[in-house]
Amino acid sequence: MTDGPLLLVDDLRVTYHARSGDLPAVRGVSFELERGASLGLAGESGCGKSTMANAILRLLPAGTTVDGSVLLHGQDVLAMKPGALRAVRWTEGAIVFQGALHALNPVQRIGAQISEPMLLHRTQPSKRAAATRVAELLEQVGLPGDRASAYPHQLSGGQRQRVLIAMALACDPSLLIADEPTTALDVMVQAQVLALLARLRVERGLSMIFITHDLSVLTDVCDDLAVMYAGRIVEEGRSGELFHSPRHPYTSGLAAAFPTIGDPASRMNPSGLGGDPPDPAHLPTGCPFHPRCALAEDRCRAHAPELSPAGDARRAACLLVEDPT
């Protein structure tokens, strides 16, 4: 174990190659995650959140171009040989995917799926010890240990998501990436899964990256937030401050999209953003958000802003923040 942050991402760039041309999905993202800290990544679909998460553990399709560096425990994941990379996955960093029904093997019992990484990485001495550990993990995520004999289709959506969390924790990783793990769940089950992740993070001292398009969810489970748009981070800061007092117009639009509980006017007349994020293959000149921004000026169409100080422990990539006059 080295000193410094658990995870250090520096100038990460990811480009997919399609018949129609190159698609720059992540364009120069940098951040660090301290041990035991949690970072929330927000933004609309297509802004690069999941691509960046998959790049951290090198889960992108073959042929994808990835530049920059991803230091996990001081070692560059992007430069690792296959053997070293296999040793890092599950034991150092693990991921919880969005669709549990698609992530689980439908013809294999969940106990066997949870124990597989333990046996592969030899974190348990025998199948019997692994089975005991599986029961412990299921109980930690709120399921009876005897559910290990069930098949995925015999569980509810919330239970399957808990199984994915148990699987991700099987080899005691120090980094957990949760990629929209509650999107397919109803509100009550979503709240239960969020509370579970928050509890496990504290109990295990996990560092966590939580990805979703829902800013309100991130304020409940994350210390810091980073908002992504068109493959770049456009605002970052402490979660409560960023949600309640955003500096970037895009963050303001995301926050305004959520109705105020108890206010019928906000429910009947929701605000937010019109249109969609730009096609990565045809990014606009200047600030990529300017075609949707109500505050855009002529200079926004010509200059692409970098992240600049926007208050205490806050940064935003907006010319109006750099020069409020």
Side-chain angles (χ1 to χ4, degrees):
M1 183 177 295
T2 61
D3 295 331
L6 174 78
L7 177 69
L8 180 60
V9 177
D10 184 39
D11 196 26
L12 181 64
R13 298 175 183 271
V14 179
T15 303
Y16 297 113
H17 303 289
R19 292 182 179 179
S20 58
D22 292 346
L23 303 175
V26 176
R27 305 182 301 121
V29 168
S30 300
F31 67 89
E32 61 182 50
L33 184 66
E34 300 294 337
R35 303 172 196 278
S38 59
L39 172 68
L41 289 175
E44 297 166 285
S45 297
C47 288
K49 306 184 303 299
S50 294
T51 292
M52 187 173 67
N54 287 321
I56 290 173
L57 294 178
R58 276 176 58 183
L59 297 174
L60 294 168
T64 305
T65 298
V66 183
D67 297 308
S69 64
V70 176
L71 302 182
L72 181 59
H73 287 303
Q75 296 183 317
D76 193 349
V77 176
L78 302 183
M80 287 180 178
K81 294 182 178 180
L85 181 61
R86 284 194 297 270
V88 164
R89 292 173 179 163
W90 296 103
T91 59
E92 298 293 341
I95 188 168
V96 178
F97 293 105
Q98 176 178 347
L101 188 59
H102 303 292
L104 294 171
N105 188 331
V107 297
Q108 191 176 33
R109 299 181 191 274
I110 63 170
Q113 297 186 61
I114 297 173
S115 64
E116 182 178 3
M118 302 181 201
L119 298 173
L120 177 66
H121 291 280
R122 300 180 181 179
T123 60
Q124 296 297 326
S126 65
K127 289 186 177 181
R128 177 174 294 181
T132 300
R133 177 63 175 151
V134 166
E136 293 173 352
L137 285 168
L138 288 176
E139 291 173 359
Q140 286 181 13
V141 298
L143 292 175
D146 59 10
R147 297 301 279 163
S149 62
Y151 289 96
H153 73 272
Q154 296 175 312
L155 304 176
S156 68
Q159 290 174 327
R160 287 192 293 266
Q161 205 65 45
R162 290 170 185 264
V163 170
L164 279 190
I165 295 171
M167 188 183 302
L169 299 176
C171 296
D172 293 315
S174 50
L175 171 66
L176 179 66
I177 302 174
D179 188 4
E180 302 204 40
T182 62
T183 299
L185 306 178
D186 63 58
V187 175
M188 293 300 295
V189 177
Q190 173 179 282
Q192 295 170 4
V193 172
L194 291 175
L196 168 65
L197 287 170
R199 175 175 62 81
L200 290 173
R201 177 199 156 205
V202 173
E203 290 178 353
R204 291 170 166 261
L206 280 169
S207 297
M208 186 172 69
I209 297 176
F210 197 108
I211 300 170
T212 182
H213 58 273
D214 190 335
L215 273 176
S216 62
V217 165
L218 295 179
T219 59
D220 292 333
V221 295
C222 296
D223 302 321
D224 298 289
L225 296 185
V227 178
M228 290 190 68
Y229 188 78
R232 303 187 69 182
I233 293 178
V234 296
E235 185 168 4
E236 59 185 12
R238 303 296 291 178
S239 60
E241 295 176 5
L242 190 145
F243 179 71
H244 295 292
S245 181
R247 299 300 308 275
H248 196 284
Y250 178 62
T251 310
S252 298
L254 289 180
F258 299 97
T260 302
I261 296 177
D263 182 4
S266 70
R267 186 178 71 251
M268 300 302 295
N269 298 286
S271 56
L273 293 167
D276 299 298
D279 182 345
H282 301 95
L283 292 172
T285 60
C287 174
F289 184 61
H290 84 256
R292 304 172 69 191
C293 182
L295 304 177
E297 301 175 354
D298 288 341
R299 58 178 176 158
C300 299
R301 298 171 177 83
H303 301 286
E306 299 293 334
L307 283 170
S308 302
D312 185 24
R314 296 276 297 278
R315 294 199 301 167
C318 179
L319 295 177
L320 300 179
V321 171
E322 293 178 6
D323 181 11
T325 61

